[in-house]
Amino acid sequence: MIGARSIAEPTIKDTIIHRMDPRAKILILISTVFVAVTLDNPETMLLLFLIILSGFALARMPAIKLKTLAILLTLLIWGTIYSQALFYSQLPRTVIFTIISPDVPVLGWLTSGGLFVYAEGLHHGAIQGLRSASILSLGLLMCWTTDSRDMLNGLVGLKVPYSAAFMVVTAVRFLPIIITEVLTVVTVQRLRGFNPKRFGSGIVKTSLNILTPTLSNCVRRTGTLAVSIQSRAFRANPDRTYLKKLKFSEFDKAVVAVCIFAAISIVLIKLLYNMYTGGIYYSAGLRPVYALARGYL
């Protein structure tokens, strides 16, 4: 139970990733989201994904969090590729495997002409999977290497309203508590003779028995928290002081500058390329830009 709760809590160490300013981590995450959404080239997407994964090595993440990351990425990438391969709707489509033939009675009619695995769907699913995996990995790296108070200071330092920043950090802090409560309820159910892994009605009954006490405890904790922060005059004084002063290091400034420059450049290049392919705007002087976008972005 302690191990499961530690998955959602940050691991504080003295590494180059942990020492980064929380504002720098947030800006890097925002820049990476723009880059990941803009890119379409699978090789470049894979390079971005590997660069993000190298951050976990630099942060020396514990084994339990690496296992959690591996499970989440496997489910995310495999689920995206599998769903896109089966339900890819764009044209052209190349069938590489038939799961249900249109000639099969009943099933062929229920699936509206059969069920196939499309080559273009696999390619599209791989790109979408890498895009989601990159954003998920960097988000987890930021949460696992940043203390909650530092994250709150970072959001406030980026001019996010204090109330909104406080709600975000509180929601993140609630996650390990909810995990612990779910595991406690499962343990109690096992002691009463339930088998949470049994298929059929056992899963439905167990899920309902987990949801009810967990939800009621969350509502109770939320009410207690609301009374606590209001009794301490949460909104009484808009000017707040902080125990820890944030300061960008030279490394933080360099990494943030590179990430923001790369994000702006990639978005502009893709915008110019899309205007060219859409017949909106073309300039002969921008041919190297078009070639760069077509070949690497």
Side-chain angles (χ1 to χ4, degrees):
M1 184 181 298
I2 296 175
R5 178 172 179 172
S6 65
I7 293 173
E9 293 181 338
T11 302
I12 305 304
K13 294 184 177 180
D14 186 19
T15 68
I16 190 172
I17 302 297
H18 289 82
R19 289 194 296 270
M20 289 184 69
D21 191 288
R23 295 170 296 177
K25 294 179 182 178
I26 296 172
L27 293 174
I28 292 171
L29 178 62
I30 295 174
S31 303
T32 305
V33 169
F34 278 99
V35 172
V37 171
T38 306
L39 289 177
D40 291 314
N41 186 279
E43 289 80 10
T44 309
M45 288 291 302
L46 180 60
L47 177 62
L48 174 66
F49 180 57
L50 294 177
I51 292 174
I52 294 173
L53 288 185
S54 65
F56 287 86
L58 294 174
R60 301 201 302 270
M61 282 287 105
I64 186 172
K65 292 188 175 178
L66 294 180
K67 290 179 182 177
T68 303
L69 176 67
I71 293 172
L72 292 176
L73 292 180
T74 301
L75 293 176
L76 177 64
I77 295 176
W78 167 247
T80 306
I81 293 176
Y82 188 71
S83 61
Q84 291 294 329
L86 293 182
F87 305 109
Y88 185 72
S89 59
Q90 303 297 320
L91 296 175
R93 296 184 298 182
T94 305
V95 177
I96 58 175
F97 185 75
T98 302
I99 297 178
I100 299 177
S101 173
D103 301 329
V104 176
V106 183
L107 290 179
W109 175 76
L110 289 175
T111 55
S112 302
L115 191 61
F116 308 96
V117 175
Y118 300 102
E120 290 80 4
L122 289 173
H123 182 266
H124 182 69
I127 295 175
Q128 296 296 333
L130 282 175
R131 178 176 291 128
S132 303
S134 300
I135 298 173
L136 172 67
S137 302
L138 189 56
L140 288 176
L141 180 62
M142 189 187 76
C143 292
W144 285 344
T145 59
T146 309
D147 184 75
S148 300
R149 288 169 295 184
D150 293 339
M151 187 180 295
L152 176 63
N153 292 348
L155 291 172
V156 174
L158 293 174
K159 307 303 180 186
V160 176
Y162 187 85
S163 299
F166 182 80
M167 285 191 291
V168 171
V169 175
T170 302
V172 174
R173 290 287 298 171
F174 256 75
L175 188 58
I177 297 174
I178 294 174
I179 292 175
T180 303
E181 290 189 347
V182 169
L183 293 177
T184 302
V185 174
V186 171
T187 303
V188 172
Q189 288 187 347
R190 284 177 173 170
L191 293 175
R192 296 181 59 186
F194 284 99
N195 183 7
K197 297 181 180 178
R198 188 176 63 186
F199 289 99
S201 59
I203 292 180
V204 176
K205 188 179 297 183
T206 303
S207 300
L208 292 175
N209 291 335
I210 290 174
L211 180 64
T212 304
T214 304
L215 185 60
S216 61
N217 278 336
C218 288
V219 172
R220 180 177 57 81
R221 288 180 184 276
T222 304
T224 305
L225 177 64
V227 172
S228 176
I229 62 176
Q230 291 297 338
S231 63
R232 298 185 181 186
F234 180 73
R235 298 176 183 273
N237 190 353
D239 298 326
R240 298 178 181 274
T241 58
Y242 300 93
L243 181 62
K244 184 177 180 180
K245 297 293 183 182
L246 299 180
K247 183 180 180 181
F248 280 111
S249 66
E250 296 300 324
F251 176 75
D252 294 336
K253 295 177 182 176
V255 175
V256 170
V258 170
C259 290
I260 293 178
F261 176 76
I264 294 175
S265 300
I266 290 174
V267 170
L268 288 178
I269 291 173
K270 288 289 290 189
L271 179 62
L272 291 172
Y273 180 70
N274 290 334
M275 293 174 66
Y276 158 61
T277 56
I280 300 174
Y281 175 75
Y282 171 77
S283 173
L286 293 176
R287 287 179 179 175
V289 175
Y290 301 146
L292 176 65
R294 182 171 52 248
Y296 300 100
L297 303 182

